[in-house]
Amino acid sequence: MLLIPGTRLGSYEILAHIGAGGMGEVYRAKDVRLGREVAVKVLPADVASDAARLARFEAEARAVASLNHPNIVTLFSVEDADGVRFLTMELVAGESLERHVAPGGLPLDRVLELGIALADALAAAHVKGVVHRDLKPQNVMLTEDGLVKVLDFGLAKLDTSGSDEDSADTPTRTALSVAGQVVGTLPYMAPEQLRGEAVDSRTDLFSLGVLLYELATGQRPFEGKTAGVISSAILRDAPTSLTGLRADLPPALARIVSRCLEKDPADRYQSAADLRAELKNVGQASGGPAYSGPAHSEDAVMVPP
């Protein structure tokens, strides 16, 4: 059941329904204590009564709370009002990246700028042991100031591989999915996700490769009329090279994207930081403006007009 405008949820007045996230309905709301607008993600009652899904919701909160980066949505609080569990988060004013995908692709410098910002966000998450698992244009917002924001860690997984177990900054490891469970959004899923196998940070790099391909060409690398056809393409097919679709793109970018889309995680980039460095090198070699990363803001709260 959706909350209607005017409903009070603890100290928050619901203003409008925004949409559905990976683990619940999302609303625009006003924090009456602080006089600011926030995004509220409410866990549905049927999910709240499921111990496993409730654990995922609470693990999302811990995962996102451990991240502090200008390209990642800020989590403010985890609350419970009259038995309703919800998160309050930064309200991002802007548009979904989906609306910026252009027929024929975006200019090279724009593709690189967006790609570097996304790789930077993933690098920050992966250092904390957080794997997003659902990176796609609908989960990326561009603010009114042009800042990239990665949203919805509702399918996030805490990854123990390659992390420092003794670090005070490392979040508690929690099993967010059971073996064989398939989660994500099909056209952006890595082969290991489709097979229900273990995922790690390299899974996100496959999804970023799909996103880069789409930004550069205006089409996805793996397409089909049915889920079965798309799944088969992801598991077995090599997509047309970027330069085969756009001769104006540098071969170096085509090689980067192809490596992201390797079927075997061992053949992909092994870190988002390495991928980010490669994208920066392409920008420097192409003579475009240098892009060093996102600008930090003193005030992370994005309030729509």
Side-chain angles (χ1 to χ4, degrees), residues 126-254:
H126 294 165
V127 164
K128 294 288 190 177
V130 179
V131 181
H132 191 285
R133 296 201 296 179
D134 197 26
L135 186 67
K136 57 186 177 182
Q138 297 93 326
N139 278 343
V140 178
M141 291 285 288
L142 298 183
T143 73
E144 294 173 338
D145 296 329
L147 186 64
V148 172
K149 286 280 187 178
V150 178
L151 312 176
D152 201 351
F153 279 78
L155 297 182
K157 174 184 182 296
L158 304 186
D159 176 25
T160 60
S161 63
S163 60
D164 182 359
E165 294 291 342
D166 297 326
S167 171
D169 292 332
T170 303
T172 302
R173 268 59 180 177
T174 304
L176 303 188
S177 60
V178 297
Q181 183 182 25
V182 177
V183 295
T185 301
L186 180 57
Y188 302 90
M189 291 172 69
E192 60 269 22
Q193 277 180 292
L194 281 174
R195 292 191 290 261
E197 298 172 352
V199 303
D200 59 28
S201 59
R202 298 169 297 180
T203 303
D204 282 345
L205 300 188
F206 186 96
S207 300
L208 180 51
V210 175
L211 216 163
L212 287 170
Y213 191 104
E214 188 172 6
L215 292 173
T217 68
Q219 64 188 59
R220 297 171 183 158
F222 308 105
E223 296 186 307
K225 293 184 178 180
T226 67
V229 172
I230 297 173
S231 297
S232 178
I234 292 172
L235 292 170
R236 287 184 273 274
D237 296 347
T240 303
S241 171
L242 290 187
T243 51
L245 296 174
R246 279 187 60 181
D248 62 309
L249 293 177
L253 179 60

Side-chain angles (χ1 to χ4, degrees), residues 20-41:
M23 278 294 291
E25 299 295 332
V26 184
Y27 300 88
R28 176 177 172 178
K30 182 178 181 179
D31 183 341
V32 297
R33 296 168 301 183
L34 300 178
R36 69 178 178 185
E37 292 187 2
V38 300
V40 169
K41 179 185 285 188

Side-chain angles (χ1 to χ4, degrees), residues 60-107:
E60 173 191 4
R62 291 193 296 272
V64 178
S66 74
L67 306 178
N68 180 18
H69 191 275
N71 290 131
I72 298 175
V73 68
T74 301
L75 173 66
F76 295 140
S77 65
V78 182
E79 303 190 32
D80 186 320
D82 298 324
V84 178
R85 295 176 183 265
F86 60 96
L87 306 176
T88 68
M89 298 173 289
E90 170 186 8
L91 182 64
V92 180
E95 293 183 328
S96 165
L97 184 59
E98 183 180 29
R99 299 190 62 178
H100 290 260
V101 175
L106 297 172

Side-chain angles (χ1 to χ4, degrees), residues 250-261:
L253 179 60
R255 288 194 295 270
I256 289 171
V257 173
S258 293
R259 186 173 177 186
C260 289
L261 298 178

